[in-house]
Amino acid sequence: MAYFPNIEKIKYEGPKTDNPFAFRHYNPDEVILGKTMKEHLRFSVAYWHTMTQDGSDPFGLPTNQRNWFGATPMETARNRVDAFFEILEKLGAEYFCFHDIDVAPAGDSLEEFFANLDEITDLIKAKMDETGIKLLWNTANMFSHPRFVNGAASSNNAEVYAYAAAQVKKGLDISKKLGGKNYVFWGGREGYESLLNTDMGFEQDNIARFFKMAIAYAEKIGHKPQFLLEPKPKEPMKHQYDFDAATAMAFILKYGLEGDFKLNLEANHATLAGHTFEHELNVARCYDALGSIDANQGDVLLGWDTDEFPTNIYDTTLAMYEILENGGIAPGGINFDAKVRRTSFEQDDLFLAHIAGMDTFARGLKAAAKIKEDRFLADIREKRYASYTEGIGKKIVDNQEDFESLTAYALDHDDIKIVSNHLELVKSELNDYLV
Ligand code: XLS
Ligand code: CA
Ligand code: CA
């Protein structure tokens, strides 16, 4: 059965088309800077927002109209696999991501949950083999169930810690079965409500122990996906341990995890932390740790994690510029960790929303490629740091100076000329790349 009988495979029809079920900018086989758009963008669809999100909010009941509900939770889960792969194929998205609980019902025991996961991931594997669609990453939901009220690997309760370990072990087994490229750890409830009852150092040591056990298990089963840590500053906990890219890197480096971990960076988490998305991507690049991205956007007027589909070309251009400067995002990808608005409740809105996100990233890619080709930002930056390419600046960079020699130099050169950045001009010229 087709779950979207009225929707054909989405094709590129160019900016002039009036067909809403067509790409206006994403042309998968178009070559940009030597690679196809498909290779640059590595689009992924998120199981949770697309298949299980129901449109409810703290004030209202579900609004989403969906046609895949069956008589039992397992029947629904099986239907979802078919519907999901129909979406992936029709969109031409080559990757997907899921939490364990998104794909299979929890059942009445951990054993039953695992059995459900085995059955459903067999179906997923068959679909992957049939279509060539690949698993960008999977992860474990260790935050929704009440047992995780105080976190998972940071929980004060060792039984919860053990339960979480069992879930991640299963997640890695599934990653091996499905050939997962990455495996994500988002902190969920790893953080705290109040320092009054929290031993932060102990909790972080425990999380590091947990990660080391995960690495050891992956090595043991001979399947090591790229591990990714996903920062977020708040929600659900008041204070999340992996606040932002820099905080997550401090954790990774403190515990010597840099050989196994990179970052999965989400746009909305960046803005919640008070950063731009490009700031977070740039921080990750400074540590050679840009792993993958969760593509979405927040609302500037709202201080929470709205996970909207990305439609802001300014943001996607600057994000794609960072990705191009990184030499690409593989083995990571661009995962739409984004949900349709509560008011976009028709099932076909799932297509319209993904098309909007894919077109917005395609526009970002095209603009960023032009910026790179023209050396627009590269020249501005090169010129701005030119004083380090000769004379005293070059000697500083070559580590040939010390405080005494610099003081001697400064005493002779204290009539310093400062130069304007002309930032308004830069921003105005940047606009020419966007529209
Ligand atoms: C929640 C996170 C989550 C992770 C995966 O805010 O974005 O969805 O990406 O657990
Ligand atoms: Ca995310
Ligand atoms: Ca989010």
Side-chain angles (χ1 to χ4, degrees), residues 19-328:
N19 175 8
F21 292 95
F23 295 120
R24 293 187 298 135
H25 303 280
Y26 177 55
N27 186 7
D29 298 318
E30 184 180 330
V31 175
I32 291 180
L33 298 179
K35 276 201 278 186
T36 62
M37 292 184 86
K38 197 162 66 179
E39 287 168 315
H40 276 289
L41 295 166
R42 299 170 64 84
F43 286 131
S44 156
V45 178
Y47 216 97
W48 54 105
H49 287 311
T50 300
M51 303 316 295
T52 65
Q53 194 262 122
D54 62 12
S56 57
D57 73 10
F59 302 93
L61 296 172
T63 53
N64 287 348
Q65 299 165 358
R66 303 291 183 253
N67 63 5
W68 48 69
F69 287 95
T72 63
M74 274 305 272
E75 197 183 313
T76 301
R78 285 189 285 266
N79 295 345
R80 279 188 174 128
V81 173
D82 288 336
F84 189 60
F85 277 83
E86 188 180 336
I87 294 172
L88 289 164
E89 275 206 280
K90 286 185 172 173
L91 277 177
E94 294 188 289
Y95 296 90
F96 66 103
C97 298
F98 66 92
H99 301 83
D100 45 8
I101 199 72
D102 307 332
V103 298
D108 291 328
S109 66
L110 187 57
E111 201 179 336
E112 195 182 325
F113 184 30
F114 285 174
N116 291 346
L117 279 168
D118 287 340
E119 183 182 332
I120 299 296
T121 54
D122 280 348
L123 298 179
I124 291 176
K125 180 158 181 358
K127 283 283 181 189
M128 290 172 71
D129 292 344
E130 187 187 313
T131 59
I133 289 165
K134 297 173 277 285
L135 175 62
L136 186 66
W137 51 262
N138 60 314
T139 186
N141 179 322
M142 305 188 293
F143 43 89
S144 294
H145 191 278
R147 76 175 66 85
F148 299 117
V149 64
N150 286 306
S154 69
S155 175
N156 56 308
N157 184 334
E159 286 181 2
V160 175
Y161 191 102
Y163 191 103
Q167 244 180 292
V168 172
K169 175 180 175 295
K170 188 70 181 172
L172 291 170
D173 289 336
I174 290 170
S175 174
K176 178 171 179 175
K177 170 165 148 185
L178 303 181
K181 309 276 174 220
N182 306 271
Y183 187 89
V184 161
F185 291 92
W186 166 58
R189 290 179 198 274
E190 315 293 30
Y192 65 82
E193 277 317 311
S194 170
L195 256 192
L196 296 175
N197 62 5
T198 300
D199 185 340
M200 182 151 55
F202 177 72
E203 291 195 1
Q204 299 212 11
D205 288 349
N206 266 354
I207 297 172
R209 269 187 266 280
F210 192 91
F211 288 167
K212 285 183 179 162
M213 285 189 244
I215 294 166
Y217 184 69
E219 275 162 3
K220 183 166 176 193
I221 61 174
H223 170 72
K224 267 188 90 182
Q226 173 66 55
F227 284 176
L228 301 172
L229 191 53
E230 181 178 331
K232 183 174 183 178
K234 55 190 167 198
E235 274 187 52
M237 301 309 260
K238 180 171 124 180
H239 190 111
Q240 300 274 136
Y241 288 140
D242 305 313
F243 190 92
D244 59 3
T247 315
M249 282 317 303
F251 177 90
I252 286 171
L253 293 173
K254 173 176 177 185
Y255 294 102
L257 298 166
E258 64 274 20
D260 296 288
F261 273 82
K262 289 190 172 186
L263 301 178
N264 181 43
L265 295 169
E266 179 180 316
N268 204 163
H269 296 182
T271 48
L272 281 178
H275 303 306
T276 60
F277 191 31
E278 62 272 18
H279 166 94
E280 289 293 83
L281 301 182
N282 203 303
V283 168
R285 286 211 297 116
C286 291
Y287 291 95
D288 191 21
L290 178 51
S292 198
I293 69 167
D294 274 1
N296 62 15
Q297 68 186 32
D299 184 313
V300 279
L301 302 181
L302 299 174
W304 67 89
D305 194 18
T306 55
D307 287 344
E308 294 171 27
F309 274 85
T311 51
N312 183 323
I313 50 175
Y314 203 98
D315 292 345
T316 57
T317 298
L318 296 180
M320 284 313 302
Y321 186 74
E322 292 297 331
I323 288 174
L324 291 178
E325 287 291 280
N326 194 56

Side-chain angles (χ1 to χ4, degrees), residues 10 105 109 222 302 377 420:
I10 308 300
S109 66
L302 299 174
L377 294 179
S420 169

